[in-house]
């Protein structure tokens, strides 16, 4: 029996993305219609029951976020969709927005109704220019059909959605940086608290949710929170869009019920990854984007759910599963990861700005025979600890996660090029 | 060849966004796209600062912070090769070599006719078809030497049907 499912991605690739009648024919906008007949708190209750953990990467419970915002008295409130999908190895929001733009618009409109918001913003990364146009077209069509804009569904509820383009900055995926960028500023993160639910966009109470999270909302409303939760695990409800890339035969997006498949099945099953090309062996997999953990073959039988992965020292993150075969060196791979963070660090705080630079230098040494000394490894460990505990935002705190987890599984590769005869303390120069 | 952007056109871009300083990033992206050389000229930065009533330093803050901007002229088409790990380890470096060979320039360079600039970029969210190159708004995946030379020819000779057939559909 197939492990795959189509709930959140139902209709993707099967209907014309910018034909609203085709979206209505597969049950589109049933969620909004039902939600408009409910009290806002009843909708929030369903989102809470669904145990929907944020799909952007941080896995914060969406129901909790919604409830927090609801009880804040200040108005106006804003709805913002984080569509700055920039985690390397992640391309599921691209699928949802390009194939099912109305679903995102419907999810955001339900949120608009719940919070009495007048405006919502979809912050789409600058690299997705074509998707911005698709969404814009869908917005116009939804307005024409009375499902967005003035007097939605004839209920006297007004709500509009605007598209904001990023311009190439990974850090804008961090929600407070994203809000700064939406306001036309540089996307450096803000200090928290205050929480964005209290002081968000234009300093007003704001909901920021990922594309996949918002696309899950219509399904939660239609079938009820309990039914959505039952698709997955009691602690992490529903389904997850998993993005397979790297050395797998099928590089694709697969929607899976959380907790119903193992990493081995995801990578090797014919209907999912389909195994590694050329019959090569697995070296490691990298989950949830560049900021996520790395695991080796011994963890392949871990069940793909937030709780089980976390027990194994792994995480779901954005849903990326980057597979690397036996030919890839761990240090080489980490150099690629660190180069990415070196480029994407916004430079605001020292641990992240300088930490990535120093890690890169040490990894370069570790890649050459005899270039590193034991003290380099000690310094590397200290840098990792400093970055995790002292960086200003999630970017710096998670930049060394891949390195830290790879250390546990592939310590011998870190040590391979270290000149053990040289115990000089001046190694870090 | 490149068309020169006029003051009137730049003012029109700002008007399209109601001369709203909150739309600064969108305004600058449009100016860059209309420049013909993929950059925001100093003159237009100064004009934007004046019309939108923001300090010039804020414009430079944005131009230097966001990777998609350039304040120096580039080719009419910027070819960006993804260097993030899913592409890097599926032979992105080979793709760089093919473009260098077909264009006759080094990574980071611009062709003499100012048509193409070759650069690297971080993940463009098309890891399912890596290694990929992004040219303008289009992404091209599963690249081979043959595809690379067809692409360059179609951009150079203005044959959109060729490149449309090769572009990723979403």
């Amino acid at each position: 029996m197939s492990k795959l499912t189509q709930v959140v991605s139902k209709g993707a690739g099967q209907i014309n993305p910018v034909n609203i009648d085709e979206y209505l024919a597969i049950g589109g906008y049933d969620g909004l219609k039902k939600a408009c007949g409910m009290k806002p708190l009843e909708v929030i209750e369903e989102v809470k029951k669904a145990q929907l953990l944020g799909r952007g990467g941080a896995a914060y419970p969406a129901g909790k976020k919604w409830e927090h915002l609801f009880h804040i008295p200040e108005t106006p409130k804003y709805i913002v969709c984080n569509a700055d999908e920039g985690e390397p190895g992640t391309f599921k929001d691209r699928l949802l927005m390009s194939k099912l733009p109305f679903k995102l618009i419907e999810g955001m409109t339900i949120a608009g109704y719940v919070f009495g918001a007048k405006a919502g913003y979809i912050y789409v990364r600058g690299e997705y220019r074509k998707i911005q146009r698709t969404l814009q077209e869908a917005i116009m069509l939804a307005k024409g059909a009375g499902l967005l804009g003035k007097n939605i569904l004839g209920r006297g509820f007004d709500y509009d959605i605007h598209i904001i383009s990023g311009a190439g900055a990974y850090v804008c995926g961090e929600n407070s940086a994203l809000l700064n960028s939406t306001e036309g500023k540089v996307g450096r993160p803000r200090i928290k608290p205050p929480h964005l639910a209290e002081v968000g966009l234009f300093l007003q109470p704001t909901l920021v949710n990922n594309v996949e999270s918002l696309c899950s909302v219509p399904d939660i409303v239609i079938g009820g929170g309990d039914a959505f939760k039952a698709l997955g695990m009691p602690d992490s409800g529903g389904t997850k869009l998993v993005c397979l890339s790297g050395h797998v035969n099928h590089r694709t997006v697969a929607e899976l019920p959380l907790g119903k498949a193992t990493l081995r099945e995801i990578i090797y099953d014919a209907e999912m990854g389909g195994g590694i090309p050329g019959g090569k062996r697995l070296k490691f997999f990298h989950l949830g984007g560049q900021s996520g953990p790395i695991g080796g073959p011994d963890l392949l039988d871990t069940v793909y759910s937030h709780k089980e992965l976390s027990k194994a020292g792994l995480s779901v993150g954005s849903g990326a599963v980057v597979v690397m075969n036996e030919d890839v060196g761990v240090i080489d791979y980490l150099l690629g990861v660190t180069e990415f963070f070196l480029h994407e660090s916004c430079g605001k705080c020292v641990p992240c700005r300088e930490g990535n630079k120093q890690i890169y230098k040490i990894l370069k040494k570790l890649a050459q025979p005899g270039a590193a000394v034991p003290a380099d490894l000690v310094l590397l460990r200290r840098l990792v600890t400093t970055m995790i505990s002292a960086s200003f935002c999630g970017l710096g705190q998670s930049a060394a996660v891949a390195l830290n987890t790879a250390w546990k599984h592939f310590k011998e590769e870190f040590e391979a090029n270290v000149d053990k005869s040289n115990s000089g303390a001046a190694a870090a120069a | 060849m490149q068309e020169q952007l006029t003051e009137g056109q730049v003012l029109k871009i700002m008007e399209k966004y109601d001369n709203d300083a909150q739309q600064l990033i969108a305004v600058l992206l449009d100016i860059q796209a209309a420049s013909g050389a993929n950059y925001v000229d100093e003159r237009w930065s100064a004009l934007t600062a004046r019309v939108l009533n923001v300090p010039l330093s804020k414009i430079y803050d944005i131009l230097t912070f966001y990777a998609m901007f350039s304040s120096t002229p580039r080719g009419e088409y910027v070819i960006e090769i993804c260097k993030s790990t899913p592409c890097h380890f599926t032979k992105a470096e080979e793709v760089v070599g093919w473009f260098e060979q077909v264009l006759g320039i080094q990574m980071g360079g611009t062709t003499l006719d100012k048509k193409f600039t070759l650069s690297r970029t971080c993940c463009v969210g098309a890891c399912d078809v890596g290694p990929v190159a992004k040219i303008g708004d289009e992404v091209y995946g599963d690249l081979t030497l043959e595809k690379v030379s067809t692409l360059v020819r179609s951009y150079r000779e203005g044959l959109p049907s060729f490149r449309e057939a090769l572009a990723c559909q979403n």
Side-chain angles (χ1 to χ4, degrees):
Chain A
M1 212 185 84
S2 175
K3 294 253 181 189
L4 296 180
T5 183
Q6 276 211 316
V7 179
V8 177
S9 64
K10 189 178 85 182
Q14 285 139 28
I15 61 166
N16 176 351
V18 285
N19 182 322
I20 198 158
D21 292 325
E22 288 190 30
Y23 180 64
L24 290 167
I26 59 161
Y29 279 101
D30 285 357
L32 178 66
K33 287 171 194 158
K34 188 172 170 192
C36 285
M38 295 162 74
K39 291 202 181 83
L41 262 179
E42 290 171 347
V43 178
I44 292 176
E45 203 46 48
E46 295 306 320
V47 177
K48 275 174 71 184
K49 279 190 206 158
Q51 285 293 337
L52 175 70
L53 303 181
R55 302 296 195 233
Y60 189 81
K64 222 169 137 183
K65 205 184 244 186
W66 283 42
E67 193 176 37
H68 184 186
L69 179 67
F70 187 81
H71 292 294
I72 289 172
E74 282 84 17
T75 55
K77 292 178 182 174
Y78 292 107
I79 311 299
V80 175
C81 171
N82 184 339
D84 192 48
E85 184 171 63
E87 271 295 353
T90 312
F91 41 99
K92 47 135 189 134
D93 294 342
R94 185 192 92 199
L95 175 96
L96 289 171
M97 291 188 287
S98 62
K99 304 291 189 196
L100 287 173
F102 290 116
K103 188 135 194 193
L104 175 58
I105 293 167
E106 183 185 359
M108 284 190 73
T109 311
I110 293 172
Y113 165 77
V114 167
F115 298 105
K118 296 277 169 271
Y121 295 84
I122 309 177
Y123 183 95
V124 189
R125 64 183 305 201
E127 289 82 353
Y128 287 176
R129 205 69 171 168
K130 280 167 82 179
I131 289 174
Q132 293 169 7
R133 289 195 281 266
T134 304
L135 286 167
Q136 199 65 62
E137 190 179 346
I139 286 171
M140 295 315 290
L141 291 167
K143 281 184 184 170
L147 296 163
L148 190 66
K150 293 265 173 236
N151 194 18
I152 294 169
L153 289 168
R155 297 180 148 265
F157 148 54
D158 300 342
Y159 178 69
D160 203 353
I161 296 178
H162 310 276
I163 306 292
I164 302 287
S165 175
Y170 167 82
V171 71
C172 289
E174 199 277 342
N175 285 343
S176 70
L178 183 139
L179 295 187
N180 279 344
S181 187
T182 305
E183 293 175 2
K185 302 173 186 154
V186 293
R188 291 196 190 95
R190 301 177 185 173
I191 195 154
K192 283 186 242 178
H195 197 280
L196 300 179
E198 290 153 29
V199 182
L201 187 65
F202 310 128
L203 306 182
Q204 289 300 121
T206 302
L207 178 81
V208 190
N209 274 147
N210 167 259
V211 174
E212 188 184 348
S213 304
L214 286 163
C215 285
S216 305
V217 169
D219 298 305
I220 291 171
V221 171
I222 293 167
D226 286 326
F228 186 84
K229 181 173 79 178
L231 293 169
M233 299 292 278
D235 58 292
S236 51
T239 65
K240 180 80 193 82
L241 269 61
V242 173
C243 317
L244 279 149
S245 68
H247 300 143
V248 276
N249 282 313
H250 308 142
R251 297 178 294 171
T252 182
V253 177
E255 185 173 357
L256 293 168
L258 279 161
K260 304 288 156 72
T262 62
L263 284 166
R264 185 185 302 280
E265 288 168 319
I266 292 172
I267 295 170
Y268 288 95
D269 266 18
E271 60 167 9
M272 290 181 257
I276 296 172
K280 295 222 160 135
R281 280 185 309 180
L282 172 81
K283 176 71 171 276
F284 60 86
F285 48 81
H286 192 182
L287 301 184
Q290 301 295 81
S291 64
I294 281 174
D298 54 316
L299 294 176
L300 272 175
D301 292 310
T302 313
V303 170
Y304 196 85
S305 82
H306 291 82
K307 197 174 181 179
E308 295 302 316
L309 286 175
S310 156
K311 273 198 248 169
L314 302 168
S315 66
V316 170
S318 64
V321 178
V322 179
V323 178
M324 288 288 129
N325 71 22
E326 54 188 319
D327 298 338
V328 176
V330 167
I331 301 295
D332 265 357
Y333 187 86
L334 290 172
L335 269 168
V337 172
T338 309
E339 198 180 344
F340 173 78
F341 285 114
L342 198 57
H343 182 258
E344 297 297 346
S345 172
C346 81
K348 178 167 178 151
C349 75
V350 175
C352 177
R353 186 184 64 222
E354 302 302 322
N356 282 309
K357 207 179 280 176
Q358 298 306 322
I359 286 179
Y360 187 77
K361 267 164 98 175
I362 296 176
L363 286 173
K364 273 273 182 206
K365 283 198 204 172
L366 291 176
Q368 292 166 35
V373 296
D376 284 320
L377 292 181
V378 177
L379 182 63
L380 190 66
R381 304 299 306 151
R382 274 179 55 200
L383 284 166
V384 169
T385 314
T386 306
M387 286 177 69
I388 290 173
S389 46
S391 292
F392 187 87
C393 82
L395 192 155
Q397 289 156 17
S398 59
V401 165
L403 198 155
N404 206 21
T405 46
W407 174 270
K408 286 179 200 150
H409 298 283
F410 302 98
K411 205 171 168 199
E412 68 287 353
E413 290 198 33
F414 283 86
E415 289 167 345
N417 283 332
V418 174
D419 178 5
K420 294 212 175 62
S421 64
N422 183 349
S423 59
Chain B
M1 282 310 289
Q2 299 169 28
E3 29 187 301
Q4 279 295 325
L5 199 55
T6 64
E7 184 168 328
Q9 286 169 313
V10 175
L11 289 172
K12 217 170 226 158
I13 287 171
M14 286 188 267
E15 263 167 46
K16 198 176 100 189
Y17 294 99
D18 303 322
N19 291 334
D20 179 0
Q22 265 158 22
Q23 301 283 340
L24 188 51
I25 295 169
V27 166
L28 293 171
L29 279 173
D30 279 12
I31 292 174
Q32 173 162 288
S35 71
N38 273 300
Y39 84 116
V40 180
D41 193 90
E42 252 182 72
R43 272 186 304 162
W44 310 138
S45 294
L47 181 66
T48 305
R50 209 162 58 235
V51 174
L52 301 189
N53 197 23
V54 294
L56 188 58
S57 62
K58 189 177 170 183
I59 310 256
Y60 278 96
D61 202 12
I62 286 173
L63 293 183
T64 53
F65 182 86
Y66 293 98
M68 284 170 71
F69 288 116
S70 173
S71 38
T72 50
R74 295 182 287 180
E76 183 182 349
Y77 300 107
V78 178
I79 301 173
E80 297 172 281
I81 320 279
C82 173
K83 63 173 179 185
S84 291
T85 54
C87 274
H88 181 78
F89 290 97
T90 48
K91 305 203 161 82
E93 280 316 296
E94 242 174 88
V95 176
V96 171
W98 295 331
F99 273 106
E100 286 180 336
Q101 181 190 329
V102 171
L103 296 170
I105 54 173
Q106 294 290 302
M107 172 50 76
T110 298
T111 53
L112 282 176
D113 60 2
K114 306 266 191 281
K115 269 268 185 209
F116 301 101
T117 294
L118 190 56
S119 74
R120 288 184 217 268
T121 182
C122 292
C123 188
V124 296
C127 325
D128 47 343
V129 291
V132 302
K134 181 173 168 284
I135 309 178
D137 298 343
E138 301 288 348
V139 171
Y140 303 93
D142 291 324
L143 292 172
T144 58
L145 176 56
E146 199 194 339
K147 263 195 202 178
V148 165
S149 45
T150 310
L151 265 178
V152 170
R153 210 178 73 221
S154 81
Y155 275 95
R156 185 165 268 151
E157 296 169 12
L159 305 165
S161 58
F162 268 66
R163 53 190 199 239
E164 271 162 27
L166 290 172
C168 289
Q169 290 313 302
N170 50 43

